Amino acid sequence: MRKLILTAALLTAGFCAVAQNNLITNIKARKTISLNGTWQYIVDPYETGFYDYRYKELREDQPDAYWNTDVQKDRSEKKEHGYTDKLTLQVPGDWNHQKPEFVYYEGTIWYKKSFDYAKSSGNSKYFLYFGAVNYRADIYLNGKKLGMHKGGFTPFNFEIPESLLKPTGNFLVVKVDNKRGADEVPTLNTDWWNYGGITRDVKLVEMPQTFIQDYVIQLRKAHAGMAGSKTPLAEGWVKLNHQPAANESITIEIPELKIKKQITATDQLTKLVVSLPKVQLWSPSQPKLYKVLVSTTADKVEDKIGFRTIEAQGKQVLLNGKPLFMRGISIHGEIPQDVRRAYSEADARQLLGQARDLGCNMVRLAHYPHDETMTRLADSLGIVVWSEIPVYWTINFGSAEVLEKAKAQLNEMITRDHNRASVIIWSVGNETPVSAVRTNFMKSLITAAREMDNTRMISAALEVNYNSGKNLNIVDDPLGEFVDLVAFNEYLGWYGGLPDKCRTTNWATSYNKPLFISEMGAGAKEGFHADSLTRFSEEYQAWFYREQIAMLKRMPDNYVGISPWVLADFRSPKRNNPVYQEGWNRKGLYDDKGNKKQAFYLLKAYYAEMEKKYP
Ligand code: GCB
């Protein structure tokens, strides 16, 4: 049997354990029933079910409130709302694609589901879990409010008081509001469609009274570049939902490595170090995952975890101590042929399969955390992932509340995926305009991300003035000082000028760090052919890629990869050219039907070359 070491002394090597929120992680491995399926709805643009006629929030027991029963108590009572099988939506799924009248709807829709639940014992705890609801969700069960959550792309759960859950006829109502707001994250202005609704899974979770809420078991950075003789160490912690009883123990098992070790729970959060001799490291070429079991006497949770190290060192990114070149592509969480948000494993297979076909070993999941099936599938396919929060463009950087909202989403993103080997970069935002206030804001997010997880790299997609007319563009955004990976977006030859500008342009950064191009791209309507000077033709996009790729070959020696914009055409209300766009951002290498454009093959050929160089 291999040795598992638990010693506080070993925990000094920069490992931080920070208690997260109350999210129960690895939800698929828990005892749950699905509440997906058909839900009834009321569309409520004036929020009549929430505010009275003086625009005051309705009291919980007011019969007019839409979270309360729609059945008339007696003849003295008037009901002006009701749920009916005539009006239904599928969950998960955004509402916009489900009914023609909702295509452009932004506002409130009330979702209602009745369900029965036979409790298995009198000694459990119950939770309602939502994979994501865009943007604000107010949750009510049997007339009682369980909680409110903001943030459209991360999971949350609320506990159900035991006495509230009935064996039959539970009345679950979710008020979903996707109105954009200046002080929200994202803010009013984005280059993607604001799909509303309960966009990911809903589950009722049954847990023992005392349970394992969350855990981290990851190789620490310090081992990148280690000599082969050193034994890899996984570090982490287990978080219980309770203060442990005296001598309460936690068991960690990795059967394939013959590891089984009991540790004593010292607090609600117990740190651990596991020695993993003979571990086969996870990598894109060998995405080895191990079954890992974490248990207490009352609870047991099973996961599949890959072990690898990742770090930025000098000019390189090292994966398991070896230089990594990222052949990436940026992806939106959208299934374009259905004009809807992605949520299922089949969706993840489509998107990651298309990336694979392009020769990618990396995906940038823009501009918000994608569904958990994406990062899980990336784990098993061996694709490294950049995961981002929607701190996009002009967030209200001066507001402490907005910072808290961004931090909450960062926390939920990291908590959900901190055991995914595929995720190597947490990104705290995209193209935020340089100012002292913004830098402070972003710096706090970087600090928070590091406190939550210092086993991965932290980055952000920076902006750079590529139209300066200079031959050398220097990425010197002050935020570069705080990130591990200096990443920037450039559209040389699309926004301003023609692609041949690439011939005289070179790139560098003022930071002694690896340099990554998080975006570059040009629009083309699939099937539209013209000369290469004609915008929106496939030929123009192909020319753009040809010039860009030639420029990439002159990148400095700290260039570690690129994730061009973007895998597939996607919906954007900002793209209103009536001939070529029609509400679509056309920078995809695939169109909205899955057809490949000419540029696809150019990038694929470049990636094949780079794969040979960095196998
Ligand atoms: C960007 C943004 C991305 C846009 C893209 C574009 O820089 O990061 O969200 O969609 O440019 O197409 O302009």
Side-chain angles (χ1 to χ4, degrees):
M1 184 179 294
R2 309 282 179 257
K3 250 200 258 156
L4 178 146
I5 310 157
L6 171 74
T7 142
L10 281 172
L11 290 164
T12 48
F15 176 72
C16 307
V18 167
Q20 308 291 316
N21 52 23
N22 65 352
L23 191 66
I24 301 167
T25 56
N26 191 7
I27 203 73
K28 283 213 167 80
R30 313 292 186 148
K31 183 176 181 197
T32 60
I33 60 157
S34 170
L35 295 175
N36 291 347
T38 304
W39 290 52
Q40 298 170 331
Y41 74 88
I42 301 172
V43 56
D44 187 18
Y46 283 28
E47 297 179 277
T48 303
F50 196 74
Y51 297 110
D52 69 14
Y53 78 121
R54 297 297 186 215
Y55 213 63
K56 288 224 178 68
E57 200 172 319
L58 290 165
R59 285 195 324 269
E60 207 166 56
D61 60 350
Q62 261 170 293
D64 291 345
Y66 286 11
W67 55 82
N68 282 320
T69 176
D70 51 0
V71 179
Q72 194 184 15
K73 188 173 70 200
D74 56 39
R75 294 173 72 166
S76 70
E77 196 177 73
K78 163 184 72 68
K79 282 285 180 196
E80 289 195 78
H81 75 280
Y83 294 94
T84 164
D85 281 341
K86 284 188 292 189
L87 299 175
T88 61
L89 286 166
Q90 292 304 307
V91 170
D94 63 85
W95 61 55
N96 305 88
H97 84 284
Q98 297 195 41
K99 308 246 165 183
E101 63 271 33
F102 291 158
V103 169
Y104 287 111
Y105 185 66
E106 294 180 282
T108 284
I109 289 187
W110 296 82
Y111 283 74
K112 181 238 147 184
K113 178 135 188 121
S114 295
F115 68 91
D116 300 338
Y117 190 69
K119 296 177 192 169
S120 55
S121 81
N123 199 27
S124 296
K125 280 183 177 287
Y126 301 92
F127 295 84
L128 275 170
Y129 169 90
F130 294 82
V133 177
N134 190 33
Y135 171 81
R136 171 179 166 150
D138 293 80
I139 316 290
Y140 305 86
L141 183 67
N142 299 330
K144 292 266 170 254
K145 186 160 188 167
L146 298 183
M148 187 276 282
H149 178 267
K150 279 185 174 187
F153 303 97
T154 45
F156 58 94
N157 47 247
F158 292 118
E159 186 166 357
I160 304 172
E162 215 253 318
S163 57
L164 201 59
L165 192 60
K166 304 188 290 187
T168 55
N170 290 289
F171 190 82
L172 172 61
V173 173
V174 183
K175 176 183 188 287
V176 183
D177 183 357
N178 77 329
K179 273 194 301 296
R180 285 164 294 130
D183 282 352
E184 303 300 335
V185 181
T187 179
L188 294 165
N189 197 21
T190 62
D191 187 23
W192 70 80
W193 175 252
N194 174 32
Y195 289 102
I198 304 178
T199 51
R200 294 182 191 160
D201 289 337
V202 185
K203 292 171 192 285
L204 178 79
V205 191
E206 182 172 346
M207 302 292 281
Q209 282 294 328
T210 62
F211 63 85
I212 299 158
Q213 188 179 306
D214 186 16
Y215 50 88
V216 175
I217 307 174
Q218 292 284 289
L219 289 194
R220 73 178 178 203
K221 264 185 188 175
H223 283 82
M226 69 193 169
S229 59
K230 281 201 196 154
T231 304
L233 284 186
E235 295 181 327
W237 42 260
V238 175
K239 185 183 175 190
L240 306 171
N241 73 320
H242 58 285
Q243 279 299 331
N247 290 327
E248 185 167 341
S249 67
I250 297 167
T251 306
I252 313 286
E253 285 169 82
I254 308 177
E256 205 182 323
L257 293 173
K258 299 196 170 50
I259 286 172
K260 178 171 184 172
K261 183 71 185 184
Q262 264 196 353
I263 56 176
T264 304
T266 49
D267 207 337
Q268 194 172 343
L269 189 141
T270 300
K271 294 177 185 178
L272 57 90
V273 175
V274 190
S275 167
L276 300 179
K278 304 247 167 83
V279 68
Q280 185 189 325
L281 298 178
W282 182 97
S283 70
S285 56
Q286 286 189 308
K288 172 71 188 163
L289 300 175
Y290 288 94
K291 180 159 117 180
V292 176
L293 298 149
V294 183
S295 56
T296 58
T297 39
D299 195 15
K300 183 168 202 155
V301 59
E302 180 178 325
D303 209 338
K304 277 188 150 186
I305 299 182
F307 299 99
R308 53 101 194 92
T309 60
I310 189 76
E311 67 185 321
Q313 227 181 49
K315 295 178 168 180
Q316 293 177 317
V317 166
L318 301 177
L319 177 86
N320 300 329
K322 284 196 229 105
L324 173 71
F325 181 82
M326 289 175 270
R327 309 185 308 271
I329 190 73
S330 296
I331 307 185
H332 259 296
E334 185 179 82
I335 296 300
Q337 75 271 19
D338 298 340
V339 200
R340 62 168 175 82
R341 275 264 167 264
Y343 59 82
S344 65
E345 179 161 345
D347 294 346
R349 283 198 186 279
Q350 170 177 325
L351 298 171
L352 295 181
Q354 288 177 328
R356 258 290 155 84
D357 210 359
L358 187 60
C360 294
N361 64 355
M362 183 265 185
V363 290
R364 174 178 177 220
L365 302 183
H367 285 295
Y368 38 75
H370 288 210
D371 189 83
E372 192 172 345
T373 53
M374 283 290 270
T375 50
R376 292 242 173 217
L377 187 61
D379 259 17
S380 53
L381 294 178
I383 298 177
V384 297
V385 171
W386 161 308
S387 185
E388 183 164 296
I389 49 169
V391 169
Y392 184 90
W393 291 352
T394 52
I395 295 290
N396 184 355
F397 297 106
S399 155
E401 287 92 70
V402 173
L403 179 60
E404 284 318 303
K405 288 173 192 173
K407 275 190 184 162
Q409 294 187 39
L410 182 70
N411 191 326
E412 289 162 354
M413 169 176 78
I414 294 178
T415 303
R416 192 194 74 183
D417 279 351
H418 50 197
N419 284 307
R420 302 285 67 80
S422 55
V423 180
I424 60 163
I425 300 159
W426 301 124
S427 163
V428 294
N430 179 74
E431 287 184 357
T432 53
V434 179
S435 77
V437 172
R438 155 336 283 236
T439 301
N440 279 339
F441 182 104
M442 299 303 278
K443 215 175 116 182
S444 323
L445 291 178
I446 291 169
T447 306
R450 284 225 172 83
E451 278 171 7
M452 283 180 250
D453 177 10
N454 71 357
T455 69
R456 292 175 172 80
M457 295 185 289
I458 314 292
S459 194
L462 306 176
E463 220 173 32
V464 44
N465 178 15
Y466 45 83
N467 281 318
S468 63
K470 293 186 199 146
N471 284 353
L472 182 63
N473 284 323
I474 298 183
V475 185
D476 58 1
D477 182 321
L479 205 57
E481 190 185 332
F482 308 107
V483 293
D484 297 307
L485 176 70
V486 176
F488 67 101
N489 300 349
E490 57 92 3
Y491 284 82
L492 198 65
W494 181 254
Y495 294 123
L498 292 170
D500 54 9
K501 265 193 167 180
C502 293
R503 294 176 194 172
T504 50
T505 303
N506 296 292
W507 297 93
T509 173
S510 47
Y511 303 100
N512 181 30
K513 295 183 182 183
L515 188 61
F516 180 79
I517 303 181
S518 32
E519 285 179 29
M520 65 85 162
K525 171 125 171 91
E526 195 274 339
F528 171 51
H529 296 286
D531 62 79
S532 59
L533 278 167
T534 304
R535 294 246 172 187
F536 293 110
S537 70
E538 284 198 47
E539 286 72 12
Y540 187 101
Q541 191 191 37
W543 180 36
F544 172 95
Y545 269 83
R546 236 177 257 120
E547 297 286 357
Q548 284 274 341
I549 289 166
M551 181 178 73
L552 296 179
K553 294 184 177 165
R554 298 194 311 274
M555 286 295 281
D557 61 358
N558 58 340
Y559 167 56
V560 293
I562 180 164
S563 54
W565 193 256
V566 59
L567 182 75
D569 291 354
F570 64 94
R571 291 297 289 169
S572 169
K574 301 177 81 66
R575 306 297 172 176
N576 296 315
N577 181 303
V579 179
Y580 306 115
Q581 293 180 312
E582 301 171 280
W584 291 87
N585 183 314
R586 294 287 185 200
K587 296 191 187 72
L589 294 172
Y590 290 86
D591 76 350
D592 53 305
K593 304 283 186 293
N595 299 307
K596 293 165 183 159
K597 304 180 192 173
Q598 286 180 15
F600 172 94
Y601 299 99
L602 297 169
L603 186 63
K604 189 175 163 103
Y606 172 62
Y607 280 173
E609 251 179 66
M610 293 312 279
E611 191 175 0
K612 277 203 197 111
K613 216 166 145 187
Y614 298 90

